[in-house]
Every structure is written in C-alpha cells, then in structure tokens.
C-alpha cells in the first residue's frame, strides 16, 4: 500500500501571527473531520518551523522545510542544515523545487547532495521534478523528467530510495492557475514510476508520487482519483486552512 500525502508549501509567505493563525486554523479544520490514511505535511518558512512542529505534533500532522544546505555544517552564512531541521523536530524537506532551480541555480547534481544530507539525518526528501512549457510543447517532457529523476536519485541504495517522496510539478502549472489535466498527471506519474522501476524494481510500486501545480479545493478530487497520483504538493491553496483541509478531504 502506498502512502497518500497532502503537503503545503507556504513559500515565502506569512508573518509570525499569520503563521500561527494558519497552523491553528488547519488544526481546527482537521478536528471537523479528516481521512485517517492521509499523511499531512506543512512546509512553512524556516523561522516558523518550531512553532509549526509544536502545532503539528499535537494535531497529528508533520512539519518540514522548503530547502536545506548540501553541507553538514560550517561557514555557510544564511544556510540551514539537515541536522538543524531534524533537531528542531522537522520531518520532511522539499528539494529541487522549480523556484530553487530557476532563481538559485540549483542543478540535479547539487540536489542529489541535498537528498543525501536529508537522508543522513532521517528527513524525508520530497523531490520535485517537472518540465517547463516549452519542453512540453516540444514533446520533450518525458526526457526532461527522466533526466531529473535519474540524476538526482539513481545513486541511492534501494533502502534509501524507499524513503523518498516524489512531486511531479510541471513548471507551467505552478502558481499559474493552469493545472495539468488528470490525464496529463496520470500519464507522467505512471511514466515516472516506470523509470523508477527500471532502476529500483518493485520498490517503485511503493513510492508516493504527488502532483503539484495549481492544485486546489476544486480540482484535487479528479487529480487524486488517478491510479498513480498519491496526493499533492500544494502552494497557493495551502495558505488558507479551509482550502488546504478541503484538498486533504478530497481523497
Ligand atoms: C508549488 O509551488 O509547489 C506549487 C504547487 O504551487 P501552486 O500550488 O501555487 O501552483
């Protein structure tokens, strides 16, 4: 049985009191009813991790960070290590998000090192992959995603690979309101699983592959209904408690 996961990427949003309101709002909403078999994770800005982790632990969900350093520790001003996240109670980390690739020049080789750091400190990496619009229009989306997946993950042992969650996030769908159709999502998720099976065998059948890109309370149900879509990584719609929990209830 694969895990079902709904995760909220807050990006660089919310002040301290707004973060408190959102976290307690999510907790209140969850008390009105939640599917017990869905793992829920929030990814607030790093400065709110401890707060998020306190609320999450009391209310049956998890908190993590949107990025970590590839280094263990040392003179890297402004960076946060996997060990710090783990010691503050964080459980997951988003790696390879398209905004990190585009604005911070992150490559698959660098992301592979971050994945190693995450695994070393028992954090669950949520590895993001996905093509830009031009690549889809040129019918290169499968090649692009296969390369991203193989370059960032194929060095892992089967045991470590089994700890990784994947998020397919077509870049043209992130924050644009232009969601992948359920057919496009299913087609790519099945393709990713096939690529993973080619390297890791049966373990790929247990990998949770989330969809991300303008997934919201109105379209989550038809996306999650697909055989290889195991949940969602949610940006904009995770910033409102009611919308986020409606998405969680869409399974
Ligand atoms: C994201 O940034 O991971 C994301 C999926 O954003 P949005 O839901 O806003 O498209």
């Amino acid at each position: 049985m694969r895990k079902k996961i709904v995760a909220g990427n807050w990006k660089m949003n919310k002040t301290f009191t707004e973060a408190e309101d959102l976290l307690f709002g999510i907790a209140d909403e969850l008390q009105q009813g939640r599917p017990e078999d869905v793992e829920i994770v929030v990814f607030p800005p790093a400065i709110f991790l401890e707060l998020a982790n306190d609320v999450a632990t009391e209310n049956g969900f998890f908190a993590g960070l949107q990025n970590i350093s590839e280094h263990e520790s040392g003179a890297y001003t402004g960076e946060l290590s996997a060990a710090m996240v783990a010691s503050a109670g964080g459980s997951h980390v988003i790696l390879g998000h398209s905004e990190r690739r585009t604005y911070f020049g992150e490559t698959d080789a660098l992301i592979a090192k971050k994945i190693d750091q995450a695994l070393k400190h028992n954090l669950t990496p949520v590895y993001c992959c996905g093509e830009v619009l031009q690549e889809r229009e040129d019918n290169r989306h499968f090649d692009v995603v296969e390369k991203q997946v193989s370059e960032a993950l194929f060095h892992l042992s089967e045991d470590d690979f089994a700890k990784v969650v994947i998020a397919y996030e077509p870049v043209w769908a992130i924050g644009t309101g232009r969601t992948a159709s359920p057919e496009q999502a299913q087609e790519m998720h099945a393709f990713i699983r096939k690529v993973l099976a080619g390297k890791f065998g049966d373990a790929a059948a247990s990998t949770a592959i989330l969809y991300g890109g303008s997934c919201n309370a109105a379209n989550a149900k038809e996306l999650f209904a697909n055989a290889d879509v195991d949940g969602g990584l949610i940006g904009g719609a995770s910033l409102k408690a009611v919308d986020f929990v409606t998405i969680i209830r869409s399974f």
Side-chain angles (χ1 to χ4, degrees):
M1 252 306 249
R2 285 202 288 275
K3 259 188 193 168
K4 297 174 185 169
I5 303 171
V6 176
N9 175 13
W10 296 9
K11 311 195 190 194
M12 197 176 75
N13 291 296
K14 305 292 180 189
T15 60
F16 185 85
T17 45
E18 290 167 350
E20 265 185 333
D21 286 350
L22 179 53
L23 288 162
F24 287 114
I26 292 169
D28 286 349
E29 271 301 314
L30 289 174
Q31 272 170 18
Q32 314 301 312
R34 62 186 283 183
E36 286 305 323
D37 59 345
V38 178
E39 184 169 292
I40 302 162
V41 194
V42 293
F43 293 98
I47 196 164
F48 307 136
L49 177 62
E50 205 179 329
L51 165 71
N53 188 49
D54 286 347
V55 180
T57 310
E58 288 219 341
N59 290 279
F61 61 100
F62 296 93
L65 279 204
Q66 302 165 18
N67 180 40
I68 51 166
S69 168
E70 70 274 28
H71 301 290
E72 181 65 33
S73 64
Y76 302 102
T77 301
E79 290 289 89
L80 296 170
S81 72
M84 291 171 187
V85 180
S87 68
S91 54
H92 295 62
V93 61
I94 297 175
L95 294 172
H97 192 281
S98 70
E99 287 151 20
R100 303 269 343 151
R101 294 177 189 264
T102 304
Y103 305 136
F104 302 95
E106 293 199 4
T107 61
D108 286 316
L110 176 77
I111 298 160
K113 290 186 191 160
K114 294 187 176 199
I115 289 173
D116 292 344
Q117 276 299 313
L119 291 168
K120 182 174 171 195
H121 293 281
N122 293 319
L123 301 176
T124 300
V126 179
Y127 174 62
C128 303
C129 56
E131 79 285 357
V132 301
L133 186 59
Q134 192 62 53
E135 290 162 344
R136 181 164 278 265
E137 286 176 353
D138 294 347
N139 207 27
R140 289 190 291 124
H141 45 301
F142 293 116
D143 291 346
V144 168
V145 171
E146 180 167 11
K147 187 164 179 287
Q148 290 173 335
V149 166
S150 59
E151 290 191 353
L153 301 178
F154 276 17
H155 67 289
L156 296 176
S157 68
E158 207 176 296
D159 279 356
D160 274 346
F161 165 72
K163 298 169 190 158
V164 174
V165 171
I166 311 259
Y168 168 58
E169 300 208 306
V171 181
W172 46 271
I174 297 179
T176 60
R178 184 178 169 188
T179 319
S181 69
E183 295 76 21
Q184 286 172 324
Q186 169 56 27
E187 184 184 38
M188 183 59 90
H189 284 224
F191 173 77
I192 292 170
R193 202 177 301 286
K194 194 180 85 188
V195 168
L196 295 172
K199 172 70 183 171
F200 297 106
D202 290 346
S206 304
T207 304
I209 306 180
L210 317 184
Y211 169 79
S214 297
C215 180
N216 57 40
N219 61 28
K221 213 179 189 69
E222 56 175 2
L223 285 160
F224 296 173
N226 292 282
D228 287 287
V229 178
D230 305 308
L233 179 55
I234 318 298
S238 73
L239 298 175
K240 288 193 183 142
V242 174
D243 288 5
F244 186 53
V245 177
T246 303
I247 293 170
I248 293 164
R249 294 194 191 114
S250 299
F251 270 109

